[in-house]
Amino acid sequence: MSDRLDPALTTRTDFERVSAATVAAATGLPTATLHEAAGKIGVMPMAIKPVARGMRFAGPALTVQSPGGDNLWLHRAIYAAQPGDVLVVSVSGAYEHGYWGEIMATAAKVRGLAALVIDGCVRDGELLGDIGFPVFARGLCIRGTGKDFGARGWIGHPTLFDNVTVNAGDLVVGDGDGVVAIPRERADAVIEASRQREAAEADQLRRIEAGETTMRLFNFG
Protein backbone atom coordinates (compact mmCIF):
# COMPACT_ATOMS: atom_id res chain seq x y z
CA MET A 1 0.00 0.00 0.00
CA SER A 2 1.20 3.54 -0.77
CA ASP A 3 2.07 5.97 1.97
CA ARG A 4 -1.00 7.57 3.45
CA LEU A 5 -1.99 11.01 2.22
CA ASP A 6 -3.72 13.49 4.50
CA PRO A 7 -7.26 13.93 3.03
CA ALA A 8 -7.56 17.29 4.78
CA LEU A 9 -5.10 18.71 2.23
CA THR A 10 -7.65 18.38 -0.58
CA THR A 11 -10.91 18.60 1.37
CA ARG A 12 -12.81 21.87 1.51
CA THR A 13 -16.01 22.24 3.53
CA ASP A 14 -16.10 26.01 4.21
CA PHE A 15 -17.96 26.95 1.03
CA GLU A 16 -21.27 28.81 0.73
CA ARG A 17 -24.28 26.64 -0.02
CA VAL A 18 -27.63 27.52 -1.55
CA SER A 19 -30.01 28.28 1.30
CA ALA A 20 -32.55 25.90 2.76
CA ALA A 21 -35.28 28.21 1.45
CA THR A 22 -33.86 27.96 -2.07
CA VAL A 23 -33.74 24.17 -1.83
CA ALA A 24 -37.33 24.06 -0.59
CA ALA A 25 -38.43 26.27 -3.48
CA ALA A 26 -36.67 24.01 -5.98
CA THR A 27 -38.20 20.84 -4.58
CA GLY A 28 -40.90 19.65 -6.94
CA LEU A 29 -39.81 21.73 -9.91
CA PRO A 30 -39.04 19.51 -12.92
CA THR A 31 -35.39 19.25 -13.92
CA ALA A 32 -36.30 20.01 -17.53
CA THR A 33 -38.01 23.23 -16.48
CA LEU A 34 -35.02 24.34 -14.40
CA HIS A 35 -32.68 23.58 -17.29
CA GLU A 36 -34.77 25.54 -19.78
CA ALA A 37 -35.37 28.44 -17.41
CA ALA A 38 -31.64 28.71 -16.74
CA GLY A 39 -30.90 29.11 -20.44
CA LYS A 40 -30.42 25.44 -21.31
CA ILE A 41 -27.48 24.84 -18.99
CA GLY A 42 -26.52 22.41 -16.27
CA VAL A 43 -27.54 19.04 -17.71
CA MET A 44 -25.54 16.27 -16.08
CA PRO A 45 -24.58 13.28 -18.30
CA MET A 46 -27.76 11.67 -19.61
CA ALA A 47 -26.59 8.21 -18.49
CA ILE A 48 -27.06 9.26 -14.85
CA LYS A 49 -30.54 8.13 -13.81
CA PRO A 50 -32.33 7.17 -10.56
CA VAL A 51 -31.77 3.53 -9.60
CA ALA A 52 -35.43 3.18 -8.53
CA ARG A 53 -38.68 4.75 -9.67
CA GLY A 54 -39.91 7.79 -7.80
CA MET A 55 -36.52 8.95 -6.54
CA ARG A 56 -36.06 12.71 -6.59
CA PHE A 57 -34.10 15.28 -4.60
CA ALA A 58 -32.89 18.87 -4.35
CA GLY A 59 -29.96 20.20 -2.37
CA PRO A 60 -26.54 21.86 -2.37
CA ALA A 61 -23.69 19.99 -4.03
CA LEU A 62 -20.78 18.52 -2.13
CA THR A 63 -18.47 17.74 -5.03
CA VAL A 64 -16.15 14.71 -4.93
CA GLN A 65 -13.38 13.70 -7.32
CA SER A 66 -12.63 10.04 -6.68
CA PRO A 67 -9.78 7.99 -8.09
CA GLY A 68 -11.04 5.42 -10.57
CA GLY A 69 -11.97 2.07 -9.08
CA ASP A 70 -11.66 3.33 -5.50
CA ASN A 71 -14.44 4.44 -3.14
CA LEU A 72 -12.51 5.59 -0.07
CA TRP A 73 -13.19 9.23 -0.94
CA LEU A 74 -16.92 8.53 -1.07
CA HIS A 75 -16.77 7.18 2.48
CA ARG A 76 -14.88 10.33 3.51
CA ALA A 77 -17.42 12.55 1.76
CA ILE A 78 -20.34 11.05 3.72
CA TYR A 79 -18.80 12.43 6.90
CA ALA A 80 -17.48 15.68 5.40
CA ALA A 81 -21.00 16.53 4.22
CA GLN A 82 -23.65 18.49 6.08
CA PRO A 83 -27.25 17.29 6.41
CA GLY A 84 -29.11 18.08 3.21
CA ASP A 85 -26.02 17.93 0.99
CA VAL A 86 -26.00 16.05 -2.30
CA LEU A 87 -22.82 14.06 -2.98
CA VAL A 88 -21.91 14.81 -6.61
CA VAL A 89 -19.16 12.37 -7.53
CA SER A 90 -16.83 11.98 -10.49
CA VAL A 91 -15.03 8.63 -10.73
CA SER A 92 -12.35 9.83 -13.17
CA GLY A 93 -13.87 7.96 -16.10
CA ALA A 94 -13.68 4.47 -14.54
CA TYR A 95 -17.44 3.92 -14.66
CA GLU A 96 -17.78 0.16 -14.34
CA HIS A 97 -17.29 -0.46 -10.63
CA GLY A 98 -19.81 -0.71 -7.81
CA TYR A 99 -18.79 2.44 -5.95
CA TRP A 100 -21.80 2.55 -3.64
CA GLY A 101 -24.22 0.08 -2.09
CA GLU A 102 -26.50 -0.76 0.78
CA ILE A 103 -24.07 0.07 3.60
CA MET A 104 -23.04 3.47 2.24
CA ALA A 105 -26.63 4.43 1.40
CA THR A 106 -27.67 3.59 4.94
CA ALA A 107 -24.80 5.66 6.35
CA ALA A 108 -25.73 8.62 4.16
CA LYS A 109 -29.39 8.34 5.15
CA VAL A 110 -28.46 8.29 8.85
CA ARG A 111 -26.34 11.41 8.29
CA GLY A 112 -29.33 13.19 6.74
CA LEU A 113 -27.82 13.67 3.30
CA ALA A 114 -30.15 14.40 0.41
CA ALA A 115 -28.84 12.17 -2.39
CA LEU A 116 -25.94 10.69 -4.30
CA VAL A 117 -25.25 11.67 -7.90
CA ILE A 118 -22.38 9.62 -9.32
CA ASP A 119 -20.90 9.54 -12.80
CA GLY A 120 -20.30 5.82 -12.39
CA CYS A 121 -22.08 2.65 -11.30
CA VAL A 122 -23.38 1.32 -8.00
CA ARG A 123 -24.48 -2.07 -6.68
CA ASP A 124 -27.30 -3.49 -4.52
CA GLY A 125 -29.94 -1.97 -6.80
CA GLU A 126 -33.01 -3.56 -5.23
CA LEU A 127 -31.80 -2.82 -1.71
CA LEU A 128 -31.13 0.81 -2.60
CA GLY A 129 -34.75 1.10 -3.67
CA ASP A 130 -35.87 -0.34 -0.34
CA ILE A 131 -33.65 2.02 1.67
CA GLY A 132 -35.20 5.00 -0.08
CA PHE A 133 -32.07 7.16 -0.16
CA PRO A 134 -32.01 8.78 -3.62
CA VAL A 135 -29.18 7.37 -5.74
CA PHE A 136 -28.61 8.57 -9.30
CA ALA A 137 -25.98 6.62 -11.21
CA ARG A 138 -24.93 5.37 -14.64
CA GLY A 139 -26.15 1.89 -13.82
CA LEU A 140 -25.44 -1.21 -11.77
CA CYS A 141 -22.12 -3.04 -11.61
CA ILE A 142 -20.90 -5.64 -9.12
CA ARG A 143 -17.18 -5.09 -9.82
CA GLY A 144 -15.51 -4.26 -6.52
CA THR A 145 -13.53 -1.15 -5.63
CA GLY A 146 -10.33 -0.61 -3.69
CA LYS A 147 -9.41 1.70 -0.83
CA ASP A 148 -5.99 3.14 -1.50
CA PHE A 149 -4.98 5.46 1.34
CA GLY A 150 -2.26 6.86 -0.89
CA ALA A 151 -4.56 7.81 -3.76
CA ARG A 152 -5.36 11.50 -4.07
CA GLY A 153 -8.93 12.73 -4.37
CA TRP A 154 -10.75 15.99 -3.79
CA ILE A 155 -13.83 17.08 -1.84
CA GLY A 156 -15.48 20.48 -2.20
CA HIS A 157 -13.64 21.64 -5.33
CA PRO A 158 -14.97 22.35 -8.86
CA THR A 159 -15.65 19.07 -10.66
CA LEU A 160 -16.25 18.47 -14.36
CA PHE A 161 -18.97 16.20 -15.78
CA ASP A 162 -18.74 16.19 -19.57
CA ASN A 163 -19.02 19.93 -20.30
CA VAL A 164 -20.72 20.86 -17.01
CA THR A 165 -18.66 22.18 -14.13
CA VAL A 166 -20.32 21.72 -10.74
CA ASN A 167 -19.08 23.85 -7.88
CA ALA A 168 -19.53 22.99 -4.24
CA GLY A 169 -22.68 24.71 -2.97
CA ASP A 170 -24.45 24.79 -6.34
CA LEU A 171 -28.10 23.76 -6.48
CA VAL A 172 -28.53 20.20 -7.76
CA VAL A 173 -31.96 18.73 -8.56
CA GLY A 174 -32.82 15.23 -9.76
CA ASP A 175 -35.97 13.45 -10.90
CA GLY A 176 -36.97 10.69 -13.29
CA ASP A 177 -35.73 12.67 -16.29
CA GLY A 178 -32.21 13.24 -15.02
CA VAL A 179 -30.10 15.70 -13.02
CA VAL A 180 -29.49 19.43 -13.43
CA ALA A 181 -26.93 21.62 -11.66
CA ILE A 182 -27.63 25.35 -11.30
CA PRO A 183 -24.90 27.78 -10.20
CA ARG A 184 -25.52 28.90 -6.63
CA GLU A 185 -25.56 32.62 -7.45
CA ARG A 186 -28.25 32.11 -10.11
CA ALA A 187 -30.44 29.63 -8.27
CA ASP A 188 -33.12 31.99 -6.94
CA ALA A 189 -33.57 33.75 -10.29
CA VAL A 190 -33.78 30.41 -12.10
CA ILE A 191 -36.39 29.13 -9.65
CA GLU A 192 -38.54 32.21 -10.21
CA ALA A 193 -38.20 31.85 -13.97
CA SER A 194 -39.11 28.17 -13.62
CA ARG A 195 -42.29 29.05 -11.74
CA GLN A 196 -43.26 31.45 -14.50
CA ARG A 197 -42.52 28.80 -17.11
CA GLU A 198 -44.65 26.23 -15.28
CA ALA A 199 -47.54 28.71 -15.11
CA ALA A 200 -47.21 29.46 -18.83
CA GLU A 201 -47.17 25.77 -19.69
CA ALA A 202 -50.28 25.17 -17.58
CA ASP A 203 -52.06 27.82 -19.66
CA GLN A 204 -50.78 26.26 -22.89
CA LEU A 205 -52.10 22.86 -21.84
CA ARG A 206 -55.50 24.39 -21.06
CA ARG A 207 -55.64 25.93 -24.52
CA ILE A 208 -54.60 22.69 -26.24
CA GLU A 209 -57.22 20.74 -24.31
CA ALA A 210 -59.76 23.32 -25.49
CA GLY A 211 -58.88 22.50 -29.10
CA GLU A 212 -56.12 24.96 -30.05
CA THR A 213 -53.30 23.46 -32.15
CA THR A 214 -49.65 23.61 -31.19
CA MET A 215 -48.93 25.12 -34.62
CA ARG A 216 -51.14 28.10 -33.83
CA LEU A 217 -50.26 28.28 -30.14
CA PHE A 218 -46.55 28.63 -30.85
CA ASN A 219 -46.97 30.53 -34.09
CA PHE A 220 -45.20 27.87 -36.15
CA GLY A 221 -46.96 28.95 -39.33
Side-chain angles (χ1 to χ4, degrees):
M1 181 180 291
S2 304
D3 292 338
R4 288 176 177 254
L5 294 176
D6 183 359
L9 297 176
T10 54
T11 297
R12 177 173 169 254
T13 59
D14 61 345
F15 52 86
E16 186 173 353
R17 292 164 167 82
V18 289
S19 69
T22 298
V23 171
T27 300
L29 286 172
T31 54
T33 298
L34 289 161
H35 159 66
E36 295 278 2
K40 295 183 172 63
I41 66 166
V43 177
M44 299 286 282
M46 63 174 291
I48 300 176
K49 292 290 190 295
V51 300
R53 291 178 60 86
M55 286 184 170
R56 61 180 304 123
F57 70 86
L62 179 69
T63 49
V64 183
Q65 182 76 44
S66 174
D70 193 297
N71 74 350
L72 179 58
W73 284 89
L74 279 72
H75 282 275
R76 289 169 172 159
I78 291 171
Y79 299 99
Q82 294 183 6
D85 281 353
V86 177
L87 302 186
V88 181
V89 182
S90 168
V91 297
S92 303
Y95 305 133
E96 293 189 7
H97 293 267
Y99 288 92
W100 184 276
E102 175 189 15
I103 289 176
M104 297 175 76
T106 300
K109 185 176 181 179
V110 168
R111 289 275 297 156
L113 307 190
L116 168 74
V117 176
I118 184 167
D119 192 15
C121 292
V122 298
R123 54 168 61 166
D124 300 335
E126 291 187 11
L127 293 172
L128 293 179
D130 292 340
I131 292 167
F133 178 80
V135 173
F136 285 59
R138 281 182 171 264
L140 300 176
C141 182
I142 61 173
R143 181 175 289 117
T145 57
K147 292 174 179 59
D148 184 352
F149 286 83
R152 187 174 299 278
W154 291 264
I155 294 174
H157 295 272
T159 307
L160 185 65
F161 300 86
D162 288 348
N163 64 344
V164 175
T165 298
V166 182
N167 290 281
D170 284 352
L171 175 66
V172 187
V173 181
D175 60 21
D177 286 338
V179 181
V180 63
I182 305 297
R184 176 185 56 79
E185 62 275 10
R186 292 191 57 201
D188 289 332
V190 170
I191 288 169
E192 179 56 32
S194 296
R195 287 170 169 164
Q196 294 175 12
R197 186 180 181 89
E198 287 287 283
E201 288 188 354
D203 181 65
Q204 291 161 3
L205 288 170
R206 178 189 58 77
R207 292 167 63 183
I208 291 169
E209 289 170 351
E212 191 167 349
T213 68
T214 57
M215 297 296 291
R216 178 174 180 177
L217 179 63
F218 298 115
N219 195 28
F220 289 154

